[in-house]
Amino acid sequence: MAQQPIPQAIRTWLDQLNWGDHHLQWHIERRWDRFAASDVFRPPNARVIPFALSQGWTRYPVQEGAASNGVEFLAMHRAMILALRKTFPQHRDIFDGWPRVPTEPNDANNPVPPNPNDPESTLPLAIDLSTGADRIHDNPGSFLSDDELGIFIQTTDRPTLADPLADSDDPGAGLHNYLHGRFTDPGDNSISMGNPQVNIFNTMFWRLHGWIDTMWGRYRAATGKSDAEPGYIAALRTGARHMGVENIVFPAPHHAAGGAAAKRPARAAHGGHDHGGHDGHHGTTPIQVPPAVMKSILALIYACPPRPSRRVRQGIGTVLANVNFTPPTPNISAMNACIADSAEAYSIVDKGPKDETNISQLRSRVTAARSNLPPAYRGAIAEPFSDLIEDLTVAGFNSILANDPGREGAAGALLDVSQAIIQRGERYRHMATRAFQEIISDLYDGFLSAEDREDVKPPDEIIIAPLVKWGLPDFGPYTWTVEALSDWDIKTGVVHLPASHSHTGLMGWATLPHELNGHNILDADDGLKEELEVRVHAALLKAKLPAHLASYWSTRIDETASDVLGILNMGPAPAIGMIAYFRGLRSIWEQTSAELSNQGAKEDSHPADLLRGYLGASTVRLLDFSTSKAWADVIKKETDKDHTAINLEGIKVSQAHAVKSAQIVAETIATVPLDALEGHALIEVQNWRNNDEAITHQIRQHIAGIDGATLPDGAYATHVVAAAISFALEKGNPAAVLRRAVEILAAMNVANPSWGPLFVRSRGDLVRHRTVYKYTPRHGDQPAMAAAPGEKGKPKPARPKAKANRKK
């Protein structure tokens, strides 16, 4: 369906006007900066700019995505459509466009096709882009101008003087470019939607642009704009002149030969050269583009960040990442400084924004904030939450708060979701929040994106990355999973860091791979967590280790697998960083020396700290980079420093059994082929290699401010956090390193694809998943929290699991 030739009579007419070449020129000149940057990495025979210059083409002053480019984009294509409708009235239906953008593979008339170059090739249109299409169709008046509408539809490019390669942070943007790529047939280039020289011969091109043109008309009608406006007429005339159809779109009175109109040269709006116009081109023979150059053009001409995608390309940088890179020897000489920084994060008074406990004010703030969220998050979390609190009575809301004073259950989830929406919408600590969201999005996509699951089926549960929030330090890092919030029709989770971690406590960021790659990933594949539990239990029994160890590890599979998955995604940084973090945190929470805990309480869903240290070392040893063994030895040595008699649920465990069991658990979770992943192992989906170490090494130079050091091509959020952690562990000054990392992550961030009394399906669903449990045996048994009551006739909210006493 993506290859639908137009009638031959129309094609002949287009050939006579040489529209294919002019369409190609129009787009190349307006993406000149992108091609110039990408040419750096290409062999000479595949570079686009030298070819363009050889054709007499030059850089257009207004690049794609810049101010006034949007209205030019709309006007040029409208001029084409008007000329075709006037010339071929019998084929007007071809140019009317889709009634709505097709979004599904099983669409009867315009099925969304598979595309091996698109991470969503087997899926419907990405949720964020579908939401963007809905906004364009259903709420055209929400755009401020013709230009804003055109830019939003066309592209994700948002060039600035400081960064000519900057991208939009709105995941609904760039529908035009995305659909050109999505409807490209890689097996047939004769009228490919991805090639502007020939796609005008494809009916699908006109269906897409007919829809865009109709939406532009809807916008102008919704905002009361007149087609007699001089600015509109000028833009349309310029577009018509570009394509050589000014006399068709604007038929003028007859002028005698030699009259003033005949002598007036045609010029584009931006100077003497008619970029993409007909003045300098004659004849009907298409330009012959060398195959290597055309390949480069096709790779970028309609490119926009793919959705969903694990990574976002960052700048141009320097080519350095290669498998021959030898990582440096591990160095954690500044461990004590990082421990002190972690303790500082919990000793300073930084409670973050105060929870809104007035239901009227809460509704008002959420309503105002949700419009500032990316479209995907409006539908996934803001709108369902607004519906939830709209139905709450004042008495019902107050009873929820009163019955969960510790904020462990219903009230905790309710207020945290509201804070996630409000903080993003009200731009609370905006740079740090953007940085936090970027690493969360990257970690989330690392196991679920099509890019990383090559030859592995798509996840059974497809949701967008969790929204982030800052808050009280009492609980440490934690997450509300999408499963915990699903009974409120919320389609994503919430991840929390103490507010202090926005400016100190760098090692706390080492816990984020655990939070994301575990609790929010394990439930994405049906049966994965259950299969891991069974396999771990069986492997430990097979190794003839004590039965209570097999039971201990397997019943903590959620937290255990979270540690392993985080290391597979980010390398050794989470393993060594969490040791520094736990030491600092324990020194504040427990008022003890800065040591890893040797206690495994029955109530704690996490393995004891010492076991987590050994598990981290064993997992790092499995990674595919050349110093993995050295890093594993360092991590084990650090864990050994804190070793005292290990007590798991009242049973003493020898150090040898602890180390051996951790090794077996790591190998089972990471390397055993799993039925839930169609016979693939988790380490096949994610691994840390020399390439990742090479990128991390250069980011460390960038953090240090070394002259000439830039972010390398292929630098992702996981690399930045890994670089920051390893740099601080070696050089110290973790607070300054965190500030630099936040700046980098915030610059990388793009929004991602991208709540009466409360009812939940199961009493145990609504619980936080913490990174660390506060074990305080001297205070005795831990009391259970009471559940908040439901309104009459409705089930009660979930009863949270038991929690530990907390030092104030």
Side-chain angles (χ1 to χ4, degrees), residues 406 408 474-475 589 768 770 774 776 782 803-808:
E408 283 279 356
D474 298 14
F475 301 113
W589 272 5
R768 283 187 181 92
R770 293 196 180 88
K774 293 175 60 177
T776 52
Q782 312 303 323
K803 71 178 182 65
N805 286 335
R806 201 174 280 116
K807 281 189 177 292
K808 301 298 184 184

Side-chain angles (χ1 to χ4, degrees), residues 600-776:
K602 186 175 183 179
E603 300 87 354
D604 189 1
S605 61
H606 306 80
D609 290 359
L610 286 169
L611 266 65
R612 296 177 77 175
Y614 294 135
L615 178 70
S618 296
T619 305
V620 169
R621 200 175 298 277
L622 300 172
L623 298 176
D624 192 19
F625 68 101
S626 58
T627 55
S628 63
K629 307 300 185 293
W631 267 110
D633 290 343
V634 166
I635 296 165
K636 182 180 183 299
K637 184 178 179 179
E638 282 299 304
T639 307
D640 286 341
K641 287 180 180 180
D642 294 347
H643 178 263
T644 53
I646 300 173
N647 187 309
L648 305 180
E649 299 181 335
I651 301 174
K652 291 184 178 180
V653 175
S654 70
Q655 184 179 23
H657 279 166
V659 172
K660 181 64 175 178
S661 66
Q663 175 189 340
I664 291 171
V665 170
E667 291 174 351
T668 302
I669 293 174
T671 68
V672 171
L674 300 169
D675 293 339
L677 297 179
E678 295 184 309
H680 293 275
L682 285 164
I683 203 167
E684 296 177 47
V685 181
Q686 279 297 309
N687 202 329
W688 192 261
R689 298 181 171 87
N690 278 356
N691 185 62
D692 298 294
E693 283 288 294
I695 294 172
T696 301
H697 178 71
Q698 183 154 336
I699 295 173
R700 288 181 46 157
Q701 294 179 308
H702 188 53
I703 290 173
I706 296 174
D707 289 344
T710 59
L711 280 181
D713 188 42
Y716 314 137
T718 43
H719 294 124
V720 175
V721 175
I725 290 170
S726 62
F727 185 88
L729 283 165
E730 179 178 348
K731 303 294 185 180
N733 202 0
V737 175
L738 175 59
R739 287 194 296 271
R740 182 65 180 129
V742 164
E743 291 173 359
I744 296 170
L745 289 167
M748 293 170 70
N749 179 245
V750 292
N752 306 286
S754 35
W755 273 334
L758 312 178
F759 168 74
V760 293
R761 183 180 298 110
S762 172
R763 291 166 63 90
D765 280 350
L766 199 58
V767 294
R768 283 187 181 92
H769 289 278
R770 293 196 180 88
T771 295
V772 61
Y773 177 81
K774 293 175 60 177
Y775 181 68
T776 52

